[in-house]
Amino acid sequence: MGKQYEAKINALLSKMTLEEKIGQLQQCGPSLVGAFEVSFDELLDMMFDGRISKEEFDKLMAGAKQDFHEDDLRAGKIGSYNGIGDAETVNRLQKIAVEETRLGIPLLFGYDVIHGFRTMTPIPLAESCAWDPTLWVETGRLAAQEATAGGVHMTFAPMVDVAKDARWGRVSEGAGEDALLNSDYGVAKVKGYQGEDLTKPDAMVACVKHFAAYGSGEAGRDYNRVDMSLQRLRDEYLPPYEACIKAGARAVMPAFNDINGVPCSANKWLLRDILRGEWGFDGMTVSDANAVAECVNHGIASDRRDAARQCLETGVDMDMTSNSYIAHIKELVESGALSEKTLDESVANILRVKHELGLFENPYQTSVEREKTAYLTPEARQLARRSAVKSMVLLKNENVLPIAAGKKLGIFGKLADSRGEMLGPWAIGGHSEDCVSIVDACKAQGIPYIYCDSTEQAADCDVLIAAVGETKDLSGEAASRASIELGSEDIALVQTLLDTGKAVVVVLFNGRPLAIPYLAEKAPAILEAWFPGVEAGNAILDVLLGRENPSGKLTTTFPHTTGQCPMYYAHMNTGRPGGKSKFTSKYLDTPLEPVYPFGYGLSYTSYKYWGLAVEKAANGLNVTVYVKNTGERGGDEIVQCYVRDLVGSRVRPVKELKAYKKVFLSAGAEECVGFHIAYEDLGFWNNDMHYGMEPGDFVVSVGSNSAQTLNQTIYLDC
Ligand code: BGC
């Protein structure tokens, strides 16, 4: 991609001063200035540690103004902004760049559009449970249409960090614990965001993040070190990033963490050898926020100057908000400590992406007029509702759901009527007032209900709904938890409701797997709603009242207790697989199996699987299985195909997802579902760091979740 612009890029580079080149690498956010002496971050810290109250904080914010550093912009010292998403400001700043700087190079505006811009759709972890690439493209497209109306050119998404540890708060931002699902999810988002043609004013660049393995920080603590074999990194963590690059993603963000001792922003092996060398990436990289400067904290750079040199040499093209490049690159080049050629390469990468976006021809890609009608259209709301329905996972149902028409609902719990919580983490452009809570939806739809504080109030209700789980601030960035157990207040509430003897339905809101063994045992029905976005209440009622048949399946394992983390289905067998005898790999105080396994999810109908057949073909395996809808209503079933390599030169996972298909079956209907698994996909990285498949027995498993499958063994020698 992008080769047609090289002559233009070189011509421009030859005219640029050193300062102008460095300016292109500088991404800044608007700073808040107001009646406070400290930085915005410091102010936030002051509120969090109680030095100032929330009210004082809000008061200071109300008086604060945004500073866009316009003098620096005029001087050609800014190439990009982060976090501005309104047409008026974007066009005003763009006009300065185009008309008032010496060379008129347009700005690039980046923004965290993670699960919608204004029409917030379900968080990525939720949406991944739909196992539906077509849907992922659609919501990605919607996000791009809205974000570009606000002037955004690049989203810092998709996040394709495989996340196996539920303690990590950012599991909410990705597609769960499996590499294949993260790859498919990422590819779909790249297509949705970038569209068919990046020069179109409703297309934005996808910045794939966080490269690499950010989801694997020790102890689930955000930003923590990652230490793993290169084989594991290659087998389980790198494939989703590679898939996104192959799908045409034009930007990449290196992760905050180190890998095996080298922070990703200074990791030449990752950014030069693999990303640009092996995968042929010629787009731009942008550091994570302040990550260049943080190389000093990591202890691999002596100061910011050293950090700037190392990161630029590594190929981090743009410095997000650390101001290290703008402060030091000039002197580094002038003193000969850094070659100008290295600088030119990074500038060229950024200019290439600006060209590909069509910014040189059309720097003003939106207008205040366009923006006026761009958000929350009826179609957007419809898609938000549909995607929320498809994302929900029915975890348990003992004949309680769906709730029959006319039944009176007693609604309980802090999350039943908190609109803002429905947005979930990373919803910068979302507004609380756009959201429909469960209570709002009941009111608007004329469903008989009482929003109760006590069970006495619910005396004449037929079904009690407990809306419990996490508030949105408990997941997302910097929201790791040392305990993922459901809160004691929530458990007490459910207990009280169960004591009434009435039918109880738990609706769970959360951005990570929660440890819910109590609910799994006692509650008659559990609907995992995650953070469903603006149409939350409507979508939840669609499922609870049976207007829609739930079909979501977990993309992340639900452990019994935090101590089992990281817990994931594709684990190794160990030399002593867990069993009855003492000296096997297990816990004394908790079961070995999860509460709910990967791939699990119920429906209002039931499915029967039989007739698994596995045959060798020229390039891979042909797998077929019969699936029948044995219940009384139509439904979508997500058929999953796993493979285990029984004997390898390195230990292999007990199963790995290799294919899946969502099929609609009307009541009584059956279908022969087929998969093709390429031999190429049955390989792994061996001790000599070569990828390939080894001959031997393979177990092919097909079923409705990772723990319930039909199995067949086949010998493969190719
Ligand atoms: C996050 C990134 C995000 C960036 C810009 C960082 O703190 O790690 O995921 O894109 O901020 O807002």
Side-chain angles (χ1 to χ4, degrees), residues 211-359:
F211 188 54
Y214 179 37
S216 218
E218 273 184 5
R221 183 154 58 80
D222 209 356
Y223 317 123
N224 207 5
R225 77 180 299 201
V226 172
D227 197 85
M228 65 168 73
S229 69
L230 294 184
Q231 285 88 344
R232 184 177 197 196
L233 185 65
R234 293 259 197 191
D235 282 339
E236 300 173 32
Y237 290 89
L238 295 192
Y241 309 104
E242 182 179 8
C244 291
I245 302 306
K246 298 265 145 76
R250 299 305 292 146
V252 170
M253 181 186 290
F256 280 128
N257 53 280
D258 72 284
I259 293 189
N260 299 340
V262 186
C264 296
S265 306
N267 196 317
K268 288 203 174 100
W269 176 74
L270 265 183
L271 297 187
R272 291 232 178 253
D273 300 355
I274 297 204
L275 180 65
R276 298 215 182 254
E278 256 178 58
W279 301 346
F281 178 68
D282 68 352
M284 61 177 275
T285 58
V286 50
S287 79
D288 205 338
N290 204 42
V292 173
E294 287 168 18
C295 285
V296 179
N297 294 345
H298 276 290
I300 59 130
S302 49
D303 51 24
R304 284 185 177 217
R305 174 183 182 274
D306 189 22
R309 182 189 57 76
Q310 290 195 43
C311 291
L312 196 65
E313 277 181 347
T314 303
V316 176
D317 300 323
M318 188 172 271
D319 175 7
M320 183 191 281
T321 62
S322 95
N323 298 326
S324 307
Y325 283 4
I326 203 85
H328 299 292
I329 301 285
K330 184 163 185 273
E331 179 276 321
L332 281 164
V333 172
E334 283 172 348
S335 68
L338 186 76
S339 89
E340 190 159 356
K341 189 167 162 286
T342 304
L343 170 63
D344 286 357
E345 263 177 46
S346 283
V347 178
N349 292 336
I350 292 164
L351 294 178
R352 188 173 306 118
V353 171
K354 289 185 175 181
H355 270 294
E356 288 166 4
L357 276 161
L359 290 174

Side-chain angles (χ1 to χ4, degrees), residues 446-511:
I447 307 294
Y449 79 97
I450 308 180
Y451 185 30
C452 315
D453 289 325
S454 72
T455 46
E456 283 88 70
Q457 283 174 281
D460 69 336
C461 290
D462 304 300
V463 180
L464 308 185
I465 312 276
V468 299
E470 292 185 310
T471 53
K472 66 179 165 54
D473 295 338
L474 290 181
S475 62
E477 186 174 354
S480 290
R481 297 184 69 184
S483 166
I484 60 159
E485 323 297 314
L486 182 69
S488 52
E489 277 180 23
D490 285 345
I491 293 181
L493 171 65
V494 175
Q495 244 160 6
T496 315
L497 302 190
L498 289 172
D499 288 345
T500 64
K502 289 180 189 276
V504 174
V505 177
V506 174
V507 178
L508 265 186
F509 297 91
N510 44 325

Side-chain angles (χ1 to χ4, degrees), residues 11 39 82 130 184 218 292 330 445 459 493 499 534 580-581 672 681 705:
S39 72
N82 177 356
D184 291 356
E218 273 184 5
V292 173
K330 184 163 185 273
Q445 295 179 23
L493 171 65
D499 288 345
V534 289
K580 287 212 174 79
S581 76
C672 179
D681 293 339
N705 66 65

